[in-house]
Amino acid sequence: DTGVSQDPRHKITKRGQNVTFRCDPISEHNRLYWYRQTLGQGPEFLTYFQNEAQLEKSRLLSDRFSAERPKGSFSTLEIQRTEQGDSAMYLCASQPGPNTDTQYFGPGTRLTVL
Amino acid sequence: GENVEQHPSTLSVQEGDSAVIKCTYSDSASNYFPWYKQELGKRPQLIIDIRSNVGEKKDQRIAVTLNKTAKHFSLHITETQPEDSAVYFCAATLNTGFQKLVFGTGTRLLVSP
């Protein structure tokens, strides 16, 4: 499968714990996005990378959230001191680069905070 | 910032009927409007998109229309089939290369045989 992959697919954690998710974009896609989707809602933009540079962050991304893309390939999203309100599907999408429109989504990581 | 409203929230049709889902957006500068289909437990998949310099685009049984003046766009599915059953999301963005897609709340389409 040469699509966007995410790991893990499911994560159950207790409130207060830290979690980290990984996203592997389609090879040579230099743009990478993170979205959060709660039940019954559309995805909401969290942050965007062009290569290794994080160029945009949503106000939804509190200081407990941090995202990295150290080598411009895979990306990680870490949530510290998780809260029940963090329970959601975290989606990653990649885009080839300039002059392209389509964002290709990964299967998501479903986080449940108990 | 951009705000996208989508309706209806649920739509039930008989197989073979047409389905129409409508979205409105607030930012007149938005220039790219994709539609995604999301089946239960699966990733959103792009089914069709339209840029602001085009009024209509069609791909087999799926079409999208855009009215820039009224700031609304619609998805039309003809000859619906049970496998069209899914949640459909519209989105809008100012595409300057960087796309901060703003999604609607989704429409659950159920096509009954």
Side-chain angles (χ1 to χ4, degrees):
Chain A
D1 186 355
T2 56
V4 178
S5 61
Q6 293 186 244
D7 182 71
R9 296 291 308 278
H10 304 274
K11 179 69 177 179
I12 300 174
T13 191
K14 292 182 179 179
R15 189 173 52 187
Q17 297 294 304
N18 300 343
V19 294
T20 300
F21 311 141
R22 176 178 170 127
C23 170
D24 286 88
I26 295 172
S27 179
E28 299 183 356
H29 281 197
N30 60 29
R31 293 162 189 242
L32 187 147
Y33 303 79
W34 284 98
Y35 292 85
R36 182 172 70 186
Q37 185 176 25
T38 53
L39 200 61
Q41 299 296 316
E44 295 174 291
F45 171 81
L46 291 178
T47 191
Y48 157 69
F49 289 86
Q50 181 165 315
N51 297 312
E52 66 276 8
Q54 187 175 18
L55 298 183
E56 180 84 10
K57 290 197 294 184
S58 164
R59 287 172 293 176
L60 293 175
L61 218 64
S62 75
D63 56 6
R64 296 185 297 106
F65 288 71
S66 62
E68 294 182 341
R69 195 183 182 196
K71 298 182 180 179
S73 56
F74 72 91
S75 176
T76 59
L77 177 67
E78 180 183 15
I79 309 174
Q80 296 183 325
R81 306 181 302 282
T82 52
E83 301 173 356
Q84 287 186 327
D86 297 331
S87 296
M89 176 74 85
Y90 291 84
L91 292 162
C92 173
S94 71
Q95 187 183 21
N99 303 316
T100 58
D101 288 330
T102 305
Q103 288 188 32
Y104 298 87
F105 280 83
T109 294
R110 179 166 296 283
L111 172 66
T112 302
V113 182
L114 302 176
Chain B
E2 179 64 275
N3 182 52
V4 176
E5 295 187 355
Q6 180 174 351
H7 59 94
S9 57
T10 59
L11 180 58
S12 294
V13 300
Q14 292 291 318
E15 183 177 1
D17 289 349
S18 294
V20 180
I21 302 170
K22 298 181 179 181
C23 289
T24 58
Y25 61 98
S26 61
D27 189 345
S28 57
S30 290
N31 62 0
Y32 175 62
F33 308 91
W35 285 88
Y36 282 84
K37 175 183 180 182
Q38 188 174 30
E39 297 177 71
L40 190 63
K42 297 191 176 180
R43 71 188 74 196
Q45 291 198 307
L46 180 75
I47 56 171
I48 196 166
D49 56 10
I50 192 167
R51 294 194 128 265
S52 59
N53 58 351
V54 176
E56 183 175 358
K57 184 176 178 181
K58 190 173 181 179
D59 182 3
Q60 299 183 334
R61 297 186 297 109
I62 296 173
V64 57
T65 58
L66 171 65
N67 183 327
K68 287 190 295 182
T69 303
K71 290 189 286 187
H72 66 69
F73 56 112
S74 299
L75 177 71
H76 304 253
I77 306 174
T78 58
E79 300 172 26
T80 53
Q81 302 167 3
E83 51 265 39
D84 294 330
S85 297
V87 179
Y88 291 81
F89 292 99
C90 63
T93 189
L94 175 59
N95 186 7
T96 57
F98 159 50
Q99 291 178 353
K100 186 167 71 175
L101 289 176
V102 178
F103 284 85
T105 50
T107 295
R108 182 172 299 278
L109 175 64
L110 177 61
V111 181
S112 302

